[in-house]
Amino acid sequence: MAAGDRKTYRWLKAALLAGAAMCALMPASALPVRAQMSDVAASDPKVPEGSKLLLASNELIYNKDNETVIARGAVQINYGGYKLVAREVEYDQKTGRLKARGNIELIEPTGNRVYGDEMDLSDDFANGFMNALRIETTDLTKLAATSGERVNDEEMILNHAVYTACTPCATDPTHRGLWEVKAERIVQNGRTKTIRLEHARFELFGKPVAYIPVLEVPDQTVKRKTGFLFPQFRYAQKLGFGVTTPYYIAIAPDMDATLFPTALTSQGFLLEGEFRKRFHNGQITLRAAGINQMNADVFTANTSDWEEDGFRGMVASTGSFTINPRWTFGWDVMAQSDNNFSRTYEIQGYEGTVTNQGYLTGFSRRNSFDLRAFYFDVQDADSTDTAERQQAIAQVLDHKYFVPESVFGGELSITTNLTNLDRDIADTYTVNGTNRYRGLEGGMTRLTSEVEWKRQIVVPGGLVLTPLLAARGDAYRLDMRPPGGAYAGSFTSDDSATRSMLTAGLEARYPILATTDYSTHLFEPIAQIYVRPDEDLAGGLPNEDAQSFVFDATNLFERDKFSGFDRVEGGTRANLGMRYTGTFDNGVTLRSIIGQSFQLGGLNSFATADLVNAGADSGLETDRSDYVGMAGLDLPGGISFSTSTRLDKDDFSLRRMDTALRFEGMRFSTDLTYTRIAAQPDYGLTETASEIQAAGAFRFRDYWSVFGSVTYDIGNHVVSRNGIGLSYDDRDTIFSIVYEQERDKSSSVANDWSIGARLMFRTIGDIRVGDAAFTGLE
């Protein structure tokens, strides 16, 4: 705190003595007086050498009889970064007392401000007091008291004081925060850098809600300090009611830790901890948790939770390091005593499937390199751990290189992918009586390399031609158990395999620009043709990374529409379409794409079944594809609309639609989304799925908002998810309460609901009950 600081008043004493010396040499009528000294070190040997002082007032009086120096009227003193404003400042040389009166404002070099009506200090500046005191710190916390006293040169004691934080006050002085702490005494200790509130009453909305005998918080100079954090609460049916009292440990400027001891009424004492360490080029974290589970019988029989009586625990670590501006490496790993501990005990960040990985990445202007190793920890209550054993342990290398020199006037690039994986047991499911495989039991290694050359040529008249040549090769090591006779495709059972693909392509675009006095329109007809041989071993090789496939306007003009390297598009194909963009002077913008794809010759890869039947019912499995299109509209009032559709090639029936309407205003925002997917029986979707989602948020008063969302499953006539919440956020106080509910799609009976709340007071602490994060409106 600034008030009563010894250094603050030492330079003030020097300023008044310097002004008195000047006054003794000047006529009494010489007003106003402005004095500036270039060196005051002789007046106070502890003042930094070379410091300059500026004193300004309407009147400066030196009384030889009373030995006092008085500066009156708009007194301003500026010295060594300190600034003092008052109506009057008086120094009594006989008693050694320094007094300032009237609208006092003192600004420290740190930016802290002290206000008051009267200040009185002893000669040695170690003791003193101030009436009607008010302090504003640089972090926008505020202290006010009827009086303040400086003791032992290190403590500032405020009597009958109020402590609060008020960020909005920086722009709105009339704002009053929701909370404040009133204390009989507040002690600011400059040595320990703490603020201690004694016999305090915590008030919310102007009403006392809690009595706190002693509350100690760091002052504004402290960014991290060891101590207890606000408690957290939770409840789960099998765990009971839980209370967590976090304890933060500031070990060093580059190192800290947090302990999370939790008492659970049904299962005992859970201890969590997280250690964090920063280095000059990165950081690491280490997290651990454990419990001696007391009551396993409350869990469902024959589950992993039910079988684990005694100690359960986990340990996890993350790391990220920058080797140089281009290269980074890191990891994110977890190990636990069983397959469901972190999910059951809600260890933050590890509640669901955990992706364990280590990585090395590098980027330059013409190179990209990414090497990763993956292990997926699936958490569920299955004591046999089947779901996790179905996940592959994988290592993946991706590299792309652009040749810096032009090759025959075009750009040459080289893409390389190396994938190695092993799986304990096959991941199998059944569609229409046919077995499908997300992954086969055993191991596989695939090396893929592709060279691509393309050049853009603008011919007279504006036609843009882009010829393309590409060559790709794949080499496989196969040590997998074949899918067997129930598989609908023709899977190779060899120990190794190779395949290749050559592509010659040409794209033609003819941009047409139309302008009016108020708008600009760009029409761009696009035609592509790619000539290729048939896909080698189509459907007869593992498919790990090309299982998900949706044909829409975003990939209409892609050379290879599959999502990964395990499938490659073959045969001769043409893509035709039109792209349009319109802009208007009033801020309206339009955009759209529409088109169709044609298999002109050779084997259609999308009509060839593989292990998951990727491409089935996609709209590309016939020689003439379905129609795809998208359109978007943006209005200056914050309204935006977008839609993406796929229409049947024969009768224009709707095969897929994703439509979204969004409004973003100052006080109100909303999203309305409609999704419809027609039945895809060959791909596993036996019935048409459609749903509508609505979400909105309304700020009905400054800092107050209400929000909600609802998802309605149209096909099953049920609200599958809904939620509502209320929040307040003025940056000093954050309050939110959220209720969310999920329903089974085949029933209107709720099977899962949750309530979460959060109350955060800046500079004091954070109280959480459950999960108060709301995901309905992104």
Side-chain angles (χ1 to χ4, degrees), residues 56 66 191 227 253 259 365 463 498 502 510 534 547 620 666 689 711 748:
N66 295 331
R191 178 177 53 83
L259 298 177
R365 294 181 62 185
L463 181 65
T498 60
L502 300 175
Y510 190 70
D534 293 344
Q547 297 184 5
L620 285 167
M666 292 292 294
T711 301
S748 61

Side-chain angles (χ1 to χ4, degrees), residues 133 135 143 145 147-149 156-161 184-186:
L133 174 64
I135 302 172
L143 292 156
S147 63
E149 183 179 4
M156 186 66 176
I157 301 174
L158 306 179
N159 301 309
H160 303 290
E184 290 187 11
R185 205 167 77 139
I186 296 179

